[in-house]
Amino acid sequence: MDMPTIRARLLVVLAVLLGSLPVAGVPPAAAAPPSGSLWFDDPAVTVHDGRLTDAHGREIVLRGYNVSGETKLAENKGLPFASVADARTSAAALRALGGGNTVRFLLSWAYAEPERGRVDTAYLAAATDQIKAFLDAGLRVYPDFHQDLHSRYLFDADSWYTGDGAPRWAVDAGDYPDESCGICLFWGQNITQNEAVKRASYDFWHNAHGVQDAFLATAGKTLAHLRRHLSDDQFEGIAGFDPYNEPHAGTYDSGQTSRAWEKDVLWPFYERFRARMDAAGWRDKPAFVEPNLFWNANLDFQRQEGGLLDAGELGPRYVFNTHFYDQKAISGVFMWGKAADGQYANDFRTVRDRAAAARTAAVVSEFGHPLAGAVADKAPTVLKAMYQALDSRLKGADWWNDPAASGPVLSGSQWQWDIYHGRHRELMNGNPDKVRTEGDAWNDEDLSAVRLDDSGRPVLRQDARLLDRLYPSATAGTTVGFTYEDRSRDGSATLTWNPVPRSLPHVRQLVGSGQYGLLLWRSNGTAAPTELHLPASFPAASTTVVSDLGTVHAPPAYGSTTPVGVAPEPGGTGSRRLLLTAPDAGVAHFALVTNGATAPPADLLAAARSELAAWAARVVS
């Protein structure tokens, strides 16, 4: 028996002794340990049977943002924030406004090891303190050693572009040509067109001048520092570690394919990184490993075979970690219109299928779309379609007919969450004549979902209905299917891609023009409840739940005599969750959650429940 299972059983025994487990069908009362959290709040996650799970065997969904592209800049010396106070402000806003429960936290190799062989402990200490701000806000964290275009030190002071990642000494160790991307419309073209970037990347993967050895040594010291300076409770909230952002060979050896490069070069690197994790006390944490960044590109001429096809079964020590951006939409050339219902169902189906074949969980650790510029008008539909694809492998028009084909709900981190958006003062490539203040201050990007208003208060730059979403953060059993109709806006138009079918008239009447989510799951017998994040648009007084477990308008606080209740999310930021207690095993359950009704009559609730029960019996075998 593994330690998470032993711990889960001990918690159940303790809960029975404290009288907090249901007896004869009575739901549990909330048992509050000194920290104020509920007895089942345990942030530790593991990989089990192809899913992220917690100590109670619940399926976990990690949703949130990347914190943040500020790490790529020099103005705060490779840290996401100028101060721990700013980190706390950002964390609270991310939880309360953005609806996230997890962050991908960016780290810089250049600042962690500014001189070869010397790790800057002051940098690591500052990064650790900022990570603590997110952990203390109840957010899970997985750090990421970030790089783009290998290093800023490859680029001239007057260049159109810049990079981040490797320190100056690692660039100086190589004899690289003067950087040039030629006629490049997008910074990412440097990956395959800039000879300096290509050759430096090639050298890293082939450990020329010992640069990969140095990186891994610094990674090991970073891992050890975090383990040593986080409390045991804080370390529980570390979900894993992303070893290397968006890997690419730079240049392939003669006759080598992308798939062969992944097998012979990239995967051995991950095994070496995994060994550093184990040695530093991270044995129970998965490595969030990324394949060749072009493995799932949605432009045919850009796509390269990959997806760690030859790595075998990855779980439970690895998570399949990938990114997705709609390059067609970003180009402004290959996609003229806007995204539509089911736009990315096939792209995200590929992610689900690849993770399933590797017997591990999947996370889409970056996705997003520009919020300014020529293609910004596509952002509301592109982002809605991406979130839709994270929730289900079906488009909305098909969901009600076969929800069991939804597949697992995917974890994901939107790019990005940068409270300094539009307030930067970055000397691009150290050039005092090229001071960047607008947008993300990096290669003309503008993707941050948040900014500070004139009073210094965090505010969203995108529709809150899109970002602060209902989603199953912990499912006590196996998810059968999930959908969420956010009713987000594209300008003045409300986007409704998954209306309730006319064959369910009472459910349709109950939902009306409101938002709704519907979860189908099969219980696993744990006493811990199923949890769904409640967006701010779902205040308890306006929330209706229709479930086989109970039907209620304005659900009470969790711990009352109903199996449907509301409780705060961990961290004290004011965000809330819906808790559904089903202490049986192997039973199919459903729960509709909507804010579309005001004081619905009892007969409407009963009719809607009857409709949903009959529908669920038909679609769930």
Side-chain angles (χ1 to χ4, degrees):
M1 186 182 302
D2 56 20
M3 285 306 298
T5 302
I6 293 172
R7 180 172 53 189
R9 294 190 178 181
L10 288 174
L11 285 171
V12 171
V13 171
L14 178 61
V16 171
L17 293 174
L18 293 174
S20 63
L21 283 186
V23 178
V26 179
S35 65
S37 61
L38 299 177
W39 69 267
F40 45 79
D41 284 338
D42 184 343
V45 296
T46 56
V47 180
H48 177 71
D49 197 24
R51 307 288 175 99
L52 292 171
T53 59
D54 69 2
H56 308 285
R58 297 183 298 178
E59 290 184 1
I60 298 300
V61 172
L62 308 178
R63 285 287 177 88
Y65 303 84
N66 283 263
V67 177
S68 75
E70 172 72 19
T71 301
K72 300 182 183 185
L73 309 181
E75 61 183 1
N76 280 331
K77 296 179 172 57
L79 291 166
F81 303 100
S83 67
V84 173
D86 282 359
R88 292 193 185 109
T89 296
S90 181
L94 190 150
R95 192 71 148 138
L97 299 178
N101 67 10
T102 304
V103 296
R104 181 175 181 245
F105 191 98
L106 276 60
L107 298 172
S108 169
W109 177 24
Y111 286 91
E113 190 185 8
E115 299 175 13
R116 185 167 195 149
R118 182 181 71 82
V119 171
D120 187 339
T121 55
Y123 173 78
L124 295 184
T128 302
D129 286 343
Q130 293 184 10
I131 286 173
K132 287 178 181 179
F134 287 83
L135 294 168
D136 292 345
L139 292 149
R140 294 183 174 96
V141 175
Y142 60 106
D144 154 52
F145 261 121
H146 208 79
Q147 72 81 36
D148 282 300
L149 309 186
H150 189 73
S151 175
R152 68 183 293 134
Y153 300 109
L154 286 170
F155 291 84
D156 299 330
D158 60 351
S159 177
W160 288 2
Y161 302 105
T162 189
D164 79 296
R168 181 185 296 275
W169 63 260
V171 172
D172 290 345
D175 181 19
Y176 303 122
D178 189 46
E179 60 86 14
S180 174
C181 196
I183 303 175
C184 288
L185 300 179
F186 306 101
W187 68 260
Q189 291 175 265
N190 283 273
I191 298 168
T192 55
Q193 293 178 220
N194 188 323
E195 285 301 318
V197 173
K198 291 167 62 177
R199 286 176 55 179
S201 298
Y202 178 91
D203 279 359
F204 176 84
W205 295 116
H206 289 78
N207 198 26
H209 320 292
V211 291
Q212 188 180 120
D213 287 342
F215 171 81
L216 289 168
T218 296
K221 293 173 183 176
T222 301
L223 290 158
H225 186 279
L226 286 168
R227 182 65 191 94
R228 207 166 44 243
H229 291 90
L230 295 175
S231 70
D232 288 345
D233 287 343
Q234 289 169 333
F235 191 64
E236 287 284 281
I238 298 292
F241 204 108
D242 186 341
Y244 197 88
N245 179 70
E246 295 185 352
H248 186 263
T251 300
Y252 295 116
D253 288 320
S254 177
Q256 187 181 50
T257 64
S258 169
R259 178 170 178 173
W261 175 78
E262 283 191 349
K263 177 178 180 291
D264 298 333
V265 179
L266 180 61
W267 187 251
F269 166 78
Y270 286 144
E271 291 181 316
R272 296 182 74 195
F273 195 98
R274 175 74 259 183
R276 267 69 176 180
M277 291 179 68
D278 294 350
W282 291 59
R283 181 172 293 276
D284 294 333
K285 309 287 186 183
F288 286 56
V289 293
E290 302 184 34
N292 178 344
L293 82 157
F294 293 126
W295 83 279
N296 61 339
N298 70 336
L299 288 172
D300 289 341
F301 65 82
Q302 195 179 56
R303 186 181 299 115
Q304 299 176 13
E305 186 182 22
L308 304 178
L309 292 169
D310 299 303
E313 293 187 0
L314 302 186
R317 289 167 53 76
Y318 300 92
V319 168
F320 185 75
N321 172 17
T322 189
H323 298 174
F324 183 80
Y325 293 93
D326 184 350
Q327 299 298 336
K328 294 179 181 179
I330 291 173
S331 73
V333 175
F334 297 99
M335 174 181 157
W336 289 99
K338 297 184 178 182
D341 178 22
Q343 185 85 20
Y344 306 116
N346 288 333
D347 297 293
F348 284 58
R349 181 180 295 120
T350 300
V351 175
R352 286 180 172 89
D353 290 347
R354 181 68 207 106
R359 298 281 295 173
T360 192
V363 58
V364 183
S365 62
E366 281 190 33
F367 62 94
H369 188 82
L371 302 182
V375 297
D377 65 310
K378 302 179 190 293
T381 58
V382 166
L383 268 296
K384 179 181 174 76
M386 288 181 178
Y387 275 111
Q388 179 194 52
L390 287 172
D391 288 343
S392 170
R393 64 194 296 156
L394 300 173
K395 64 180 182 179
D398 295 338
W399 192 88
W400 285 89
N401 294 325
D402 189 15
S406 287
V409 180
L410 286 176
S411 295
S413 303
Q414 183 176 331
W415 186 273
Q416 65 161 329
W417 189 269
D418 175 15
I419 61 171
Y420 303 122
H421 170 84
R423 293 170 173 249
H424 296 284
R425 184 170 176 77
E426 174 71 5
L427 279 61
M428 185 174 177
N429 296 317
N431 188 341
D433 296 325
K434 296 188 73 173
V435 180
R436 296 293 180 251
T437 60
E438 296 182 354
D440 301 340
W442 198 84
N443 284 341
D444 296 323
E445 285 199 339
D446 193 324
L447 286 92
S448 178
V450 70
R451 65 177 179 86
L452 298 177
D453 65 13
D454 291 340
S455 68
R457 181 173 59 93
V459 293
L460 296 178
R461 299 181 61 232
Q462 296 173 269
D463 189 347
R465 289 161 290 222
L466 171 70
L467 299 181
D468 189 11
R469 307 177 63 78
L470 188 83
Y471 61 90
S473 53
T475 301
T478 303
T479 302
V480 175
F482 174 72
T483 190
Y484 180 52
E485 180 49 76
D486 57 42
R487 311 276 193 188
S488 57
R489 309 297 203 264
D490 179 11
S492 61
T494 299
L495 301 173
T496 301
W497 291 352
N498 191 0
V500 178
R502 296 185 182 278
S503 58
L504 301 173
H506 295 100
V507 177
R508 189 179 177 93
Q509 179 184 347
L510 181 67
V511 169
S513 60
Q515 298 168 295
Y516 81 88
L518 181 53
L519 175 67
L520 296 163
W521 78 101
R522 193 173 298 279
S523 59
N524 67 351
T526 181
T530 288
E531 303 184 22
L532 293 99
H533 169 70
L534 281 177
S537 59
F538 281 72
S542 303
T543 298
T544 301
V545 181
V546 179
S547 172
D548 63 297
L549 300 173
T551 299
V552 60
H553 178 71
Y558 178 75
S560 66
T561 57
T562 173
V564 179
V566 175
E569 299 268 23
T573 58
S575 56
R576 298 163 305 108
R577 50 186 161 164
L578 179 70
L579 305 177
L580 305 166
T581 303
D584 47 33
V587 177
H589 298 283
F590 65 85
L592 171 79
V593 187
T594 183
N595 61 5
T598 302
D603 58 345
L604 176 59
L605 293 177
R609 180 177 180 176
S610 178
E611 282 180 353
L612 282 173
W615 168 80
R618 291 195 306 271
V619 297
V620 180
S621 56

